[in-house]
Amino acid sequence: MIELPGLGHLLGQTLRREFTIGFRNRGDLANPIIFFLCIIVFVPLGVSPQAEVLQILGPGIIWIIALLATLLSLDRLFQSDFEDGSLEQVIVSGQPLYWVVLVKVFVHWMITGLPLTLLAPVLGLMMSLPAEGYWPLIISLFLGTGALSLIGSIGAALTVALRRGGLLLSLIIMPLYVPVLIFGSAAVRNAIDGFAITGQLATLAAFLVLALVLAPLAAAGALRISVSS
Amino acid sequence: MAWQWFHRLGSPRWFFDKTSPWVFWLGLVSLSMLLFGAVWGLMIAPSDFKQGNSYRIIFIHVPGAIVSMAGYYVMAICGAIGLIWRMKLSFMVMKSVAPIGAVLTFVGLVTGAIWGKPTWGTWWEWDARITSMLVLFFLYLGIIALQEAYRQQDAADKTCAILALVGMVNIPIIYKSVDWWYTLHQPATLKLTEASSISPSMAYPLIFMIVAFYFVFAWVVLLFTRLEVLKREKKTRWVQELVAARV
């Protein structure tokens, strides 16, 4: 009987490994952020450069682009581990897959969701977002991108065995993003209009907690199926 | 002993043999109910004093929408049964429900648009119920797309089951969020616990049509599942003998 190392050791090692891999692939690291910045250019070009129009569109557009950036970066989440067989090793090792998935998603969020959140005020500036909207934008994205990464990890796990899973991943995950988008953009808009936003932020936090508990379970189940088939 | 039937259900062949006589009778009952309900609703029921005859689309719209939502739950529960008890047949039912549910959702959306034009003066309105029906439609399309993407049937079944279960957890959340987001649609007129706000002369044919739609749904699911059984078991001897006997 081989003694398995403790959970803390597992988490620490996985965290270190994921960060190392994440920072070695510099391209993957920057792409979602560049995408985020690129798309924002299309809004004034495609709709109108007038400040009044951008002001109305701003909160929703920034939220939608953050959502898409998260979604597009997700298909690499388990891909390389699946291809080189390390995912299989993790599964046969007998370690709880739930925690491994959670750590992987956390690192994914650290290198995509968190930079997007921190960049959001710059985009707000470009969309002439009123000053009251900045903090709500940052807080709602902080809570929301976490939930987006977690929910998206289910889709990434479901499609990992497919060669061209990217578009399919978006198709199956988008409907599940609806509630997060509604409450996220509503928080920013309400703040601009001078209403209370604690309700929206609390709901976003609730989504995050629910996703923290359930999403890694579903993703772990999907990974087991993908690996065994 | 009491559970024997349940384990037998795991055998596609047993299911196929047992349900053979059902196809005709269930089809007859469901189609005649549909016809009777349609005549009752579209011709006999009184016309609405505000909306005139245009309200009569309710007899297609409401049953289609209700059964499409129930269909998702049928699909998810079948997926769960398949995952837990490794029952192949359950996955076949799950796969069969997805396109039927998608079509019913589409029927709900299209009849809603047709009804919306004379009543609200617009084909499409971003209202809570319409939007959540549209999201439900996309959920169905996602399941169908995932099912089609896998070459191996086993992997397709299990991944779709997980997606259906995830969707099932999300549907109430999506529904409530969208509801909170905006509301224009009239609230439900049929209520189980309190008095309905619809006249009984209209309510009875409506309830009848809902039941009829459930029967039609069950019948079509049965047909699709039997087809799926034949497709997946085409290499077995009993299917080849069955086909040889028919040709």
Side-chain angles (χ1 to χ4, degrees):
Chain A
M1 185 73 194
I2 303 162
E3 193 83 10
L4 286 174
L7 189 63
H9 183 73
L10 170 81
L11 294 182
Q13 288 298 319
T14 317
L15 201 65
R16 232 180 77 189
R17 174 174 176 274
E18 292 302 319
F19 268 118
T20 314
I21 293 175
F23 282 101
R24 280 191 187 156
N25 298 329
R26 293 235 178 81
D28 284 356
L29 201 65
N31 285 349
I33 298 158
I34 299 171
F35 175 83
F36 195 40
L37 289 169
C38 276
I39 296 287
I40 208 75
V41 178
F42 287 140
V43 182
L45 287 179
V47 188
S48 161
Q50 285 174 316
E52 309 86 75
V53 178
L54 292 180
Q55 217 163 1
I56 297 169
L57 294 177
I61 293 280
I62 294 172
W63 249 95
I64 291 171
I65 300 172
L67 188 151
L68 290 178
T70 311
L71 198 57
L72 290 176
S73 62
L74 271 167
D75 64 329
R76 300 295 301 162
L77 184 57
F78 301 114
Q79 198 80 46
S80 55
D81 280 3
F82 178 76
E83 279 162 3
D84 66 16
S86 43
L87 195 60
E88 208 164 359
Q89 293 300 317
V90 172
I91 289 175
V92 296
S93 74
Q95 295 285 10
L97 199 51
Y98 175 93
W99 290 103
V100 177
V101 170
L102 198 61
V103 169
K104 283 184 81 72
V105 177
F106 174 70
V107 173
H108 173 266
W109 176 79
M110 285 288 280
I111 58 182
T112 58
L114 193 59
L116 291 178
T117 306
L118 298 177
L119 257 180
V122 180
L123 271 74
L125 198 73
M126 290 160 83
M127 297 292 286
S128 13
L129 195 76
E132 303 85 48
Y134 284 99
W135 275 110
L137 183 67
I138 294 172
I139 299 168
S140 68
L141 276 175
F142 184 81
L143 296 169
T145 48
L148 295 180
S149 287
L150 281 162
I151 299 169
S153 73
I154 303 172
L158 286 171
T159 55
V160 72
L162 296 168
R163 286 250 174 80
R164 288 186 298 264
L167 197 59
L168 183 67
L169 165 69
S170 311
L171 185 67
I172 61 177
I173 287 305
M174 284 246 221
L176 306 179
Y177 277 175
V178 167
V180 181
L181 176 67
I182 288 176
F183 284 94
S185 58
V188 186
R189 178 148 304 125
N190 276 15
I192 293 171
D193 294 343
F195 294 114
I197 56 162
T198 41
Q200 282 82 348
L201 293 182
T203 315
L204 279 177
F207 288 155
L208 178 61
V209 171
L210 193 67
L212 268 175
V213 176
L214 294 179
L217 279 180
L223 283 178
R224 273 182 219 283
I225 291 163
S226 297
V227 167
S228 67
S229 65
Chain B
M1 267 311 179
W3 281 89
Q4 213 176 19
W5 62 271
F6 188 73
H7 294 293
R8 273 192 189 141
L9 269 178
S11 152
R13 182 182 177 179
W14 184 85
F15 171 83
F16 192 87
D17 288 342
K18 279 288 160 193
T19 54
S20 289
W22 295 11
V23 173
F24 175 75
W25 291 108
L26 194 59
L28 189 74
V29 168
S30 56
L31 287 182
S32 41
M33 277 180 81
L34 197 64
L35 189 72
F36 182 72
V39 170
W40 190 2
L42 300 182
M43 294 170 72
I44 300 170
S47 64
D48 190 71
F49 85 101
K50 253 196 223 158
Q51 300 183 15
N53 278 325
S54 73
Y55 93 93
R56 288 183 196 276
I57 203 164
I58 195 175
F59 296 112
I60 312 286
H61 175 73
V62 170
I66 286 181
V67 179
S68 72
M69 279 190 272
Y72 199 92
Y73 281 85
V74 171
M75 193 170 73
I77 290 165
C78 283
I81 292 173
L83 279 181
I84 296 165
W85 286 287
R86 319 261 153 144
M87 201 182 274
K88 275 196 230 156
L89 187 71
S90 187
F91 285 134
M92 296 185 202
V93 177
M94 180 189 77
K95 188 183 175 184
S96 310
V97 169
I100 305 165
V103 166
L104 283 169
T105 318
F106 190 69
V107 165
L109 284 169
V110 168
T111 52
I114 295 170
W115 194 9
K117 187 64 186 162
T119 323
W120 298 336
T122 169
W123 293 106
W124 186 263
E125 187 64 46
W126 286 105
D127 130 89
R129 283 193 178 198
I130 303 176
T131 312
S132 37
M133 278 305 272
L134 191 63
V135 173
L136 180 69
F137 185 58
F138 290 144
L139 283 170
Y140 271 123
L141 291 189
I143 297 266
I144 297 169
L146 192 63
Q147 182 77 252
E148 295 298 318
Y150 276 96
R151 288 230 186 105
Q152 282 171 301
Q153 193 55 55
D154 187 49
D157 284 338
K158 286 177 181 167
T159 47
C160 282
I162 290 189
L163 182 60
L165 285 171
V166 171
M168 189 169 92
V169 173
N170 269 282
I171 281 181
I173 300 175
I174 294 173
Y175 197 81
K176 275 289 145 202
S177 319
V178 175
D179 205 38
W180 180 88
W181 166 69
Y182 191 56
T183 302
L184 171 75
H185 198 289
Q186 59 181 12
T189 40
L190 274 181
K191 296 181 191 79
L192 286 180
T193 46
E194 23 185 322
S196 299
S197 54
I198 179 172
S199 146
S201 58
M202 295 175 189
Y204 292 137
L206 183 57
I207 293 166
F208 190 85
M209 273 303 260
I210 293 171
V211 176
F213 262 63
Y214 270 111
F215 269 88
V216 174
F217 175 75
W219 179 53
V220 182
V221 168
L222 180 66
L223 288 180
F224 274 41
T225 309
R226 284 166 60 85
L227 184 64
E228 193 64 30
V229 169
L230 291 184
K231 271 190 197 160
R232 292 194 194 184
E233 306 273 306
K234 65 184 169 198
K235 290 196 179 136
T236 60
R237 184 181 280 177
W238 72 272
V239 173
Q240 285 172 351
E241 279 171 359
L242 191 82
V243 175
R246 290 281 179 91
V247 176

